[in-house]
Amino acid sequence: MYAASREALAQTRSALQGALASSTASAAAGAATAAAAQAGSELFSVVEVLDDQRTLRSALADASAPAAGRQALAERVFGSKVSPVTLATLKAAAGQDWSTQSDLTNSLVQLGREALLSAAADQNQLDTVEDELFRLGRIVAGNAELEQALSDRTKPLAAKREFLSRLLYGKSTAITEALAVQAVGRLKDKAPADAFDALSNLAATQRDRAVAHVRSAAPLSAAQAERLTGILTRTYGKPVTVHVEVVPELLSGLVVRVGDEVIDGTAAGRLAAVRKSLT
C-alpha cells in the first residue's frame, strides 16, 4: 500500500473511531459493543457490493473526481441501508484519495475486522477470539480435505461460507465465526490457514502484543509455557502471546516464529542442517 492509501486508511480509521465514540457517548451499557459489531458486519456487506459492482467501486475510488461528489454517491447508495456509524466511515473513505481501487476495498475490510475485534474487546473476548482463530488455522492446515473445501474456487462462495458456519456453530464466539466466514470469501491466492493466522495476529495486535507461533515436539507444561512467554516478552520488549502446536515429527525441542524471525531448536532442524552441509 502506497503512502497515499496509508494516509487514507488512517483518516478513515479515525472517522470510524470518532463515529463509534459519538454514537455511544450517552447510550446504555453494551451499546458500544453492539455499534462496533454492527459496523463491522455492515462494512463487510458493503465490500461485497463493491466487489460485485466495478463501476460503483471505481467511482468511489476515483481521485480525479471531487471528494464531495464521491461522498454524496456513497450516501445515495448506502445511506438507507447501513447504520450512521457505517455511513460516516464510508463517507470518510470516499472522501480520501486512494492509490488503487483495491486499497479502498481492502481498507474497508480491515476496518470491519477492527470494529468486530473492538466489540470482542468490549466483551472481554479478545483473547478468546485470538486463540480460536489460531486453533482454526492449525486445524485447517492439518486437514487437506478441509483446506481444499474452503479454498476450492469451483465451489460457490455462499456454499463455502455456509460450510464453515456449520463447522464453527456452537464451537466458537460469534465474532470468530464472522471474521472467519468473511475471510473465506476473500482468500484470493492465500491459503485458508494463513488467512486465519493473519486474523489471529490482528487480534493480538489490537492488544498491543507480539505473536509467537511455537511448534513443539511434545506438549509444554504450564510452567514451560510461562517460562517461554517470559523469555520472549523480555526479548521483544512487549507482551507476547504464545500459540503452541504439537508436531511429533520434530523429534525434540521447539521452533519459535515471531514475525519473520525463526528460531529452530529441534532435533529435526539440526539434522536438516547437517544434511544440507553434506550436500
Side-chain angles (χ1 to χ4, degrees), residues 46-63 70 73 77-78 93-94 96 98 100-106 108 186 188:
V46 167
V47 169
E48 287 190 15
V49 173
L50 297 181
D51 282 343
D52 289 339
Q53 298 189 23
R54 180 178 179 181
T55 301
L56 175 60
R57 182 175 70 246
S58 178
L60 290 177
D62 184 2
R70 301 196 304 266
L73 174 61
V77 175
F78 297 106
Q96 305 301 318
W98 301 91
T100 65
Q101 295 178 28
S102 61
D103 284 350
L104 168 61
T105 52
N106 290 339
L108 291 176
R186 294 181 63 83
K188 298 182 180 179

Side-chain angles (χ1 to χ4, degrees), residues 4-250:
S5 289
R6 288 197 298 271
E7 176 62 20
L9 172 57
Q11 293 294 330
T12 307
R13 178 182 288 116
S14 179
L16 169 61
Q17 293 170 345
L20 283 171
S22 297
S23 71
T24 60
S26 59
T33 302
Q38 182 178 9
S41 297
E42 288 178 343
L43 285 170
F44 288 168
S45 297
V46 167
V47 169
E48 287 190 15
V49 173
L50 297 181
D51 282 343
D52 289 339
Q53 298 189 23
R54 180 178 179 181
T55 301
L56 175 60
R57 182 175 70 246
S58 178
L60 290 177
D62 184 2
S64 67
R70 301 196 304 266
Q71 291 177 318
L73 174 61
E75 184 160 15
R76 285 199 305 273
V77 175
F78 297 106
S80 63
K81 301 178 178 67
V82 298
S83 67
V85 170
T86 303
L87 182 59
T89 305
L90 287 176
K91 290 178 67 176
Q96 305 301 318
D97 290 341
W98 301 91
S99 302
T100 65
Q101 295 178 28
S102 61
D103 284 350
L104 168 61
T105 52
N106 290 339
S107 293
L108 291 176
V109 169
Q110 174 74 9
L111 294 176
R113 291 170 175 174
E114 291 177 9
L116 284 169
L117 291 171
S118 175
D122 289 342
Q123 300 175 82
N124 295 318
Q125 291 184 338
L126 193 52
D127 54 345
T128 300
V129 170
E130 178 191 339
D131 186 65
E132 287 175 346
L133 289 165
F134 172 77
R135 298 299 169 191
L136 177 60
R138 295 309 88 216
I139 290 170
V140 173
N143 187 320
E145 184 177 350
L146 178 55
E147 184 171 38
Q148 174 61 24
L150 293 175
S151 59
D152 188 351
R153 294 186 178 183
T154 66
K155 288 187 176 180
L157 175 57
K160 289 190 289 186
R161 285 179 165 172
E162 182 180 357
F163 170 73
L164 183 57
S165 291
R166 290 200 308 270
L167 182 69
L168 294 176
Y169 182 76
K171 301 170 187 171
S172 71
T173 64
I175 289 175
T176 295
E177 180 179 341
L179 289 166
V181 168
Q182 187 275 336
V184 164
R186 294 181 63 83
L187 289 175
K188 298 182 180 179
D189 295 326
K190 182 178 287 188
D194 292 340
F196 301 144
D197 284 348
L199 287 170
S200 179
N201 290 345
L202 178 61
T205 300
Q206 299 297 101
R207 296 196 291 153
D208 194 26
R209 288 175 173 266
V211 178
H213 294 284
V214 179
R215 302 171 74 217
S216 174
L220 299 184
S221 68
Q224 288 172 323
E226 183 177 356
R227 188 159 60 249
L228 177 61
T229 300
I231 292 170
L232 292 173
T233 295
R234 290 191 295 274
T235 300
Y236 291 96
K238 66 189 303 184
V240 177
T241 295
V242 175
H243 292 305
V244 180
E245 178 185 5
V246 178
V247 184
E249 291 79 7
L250 296 177

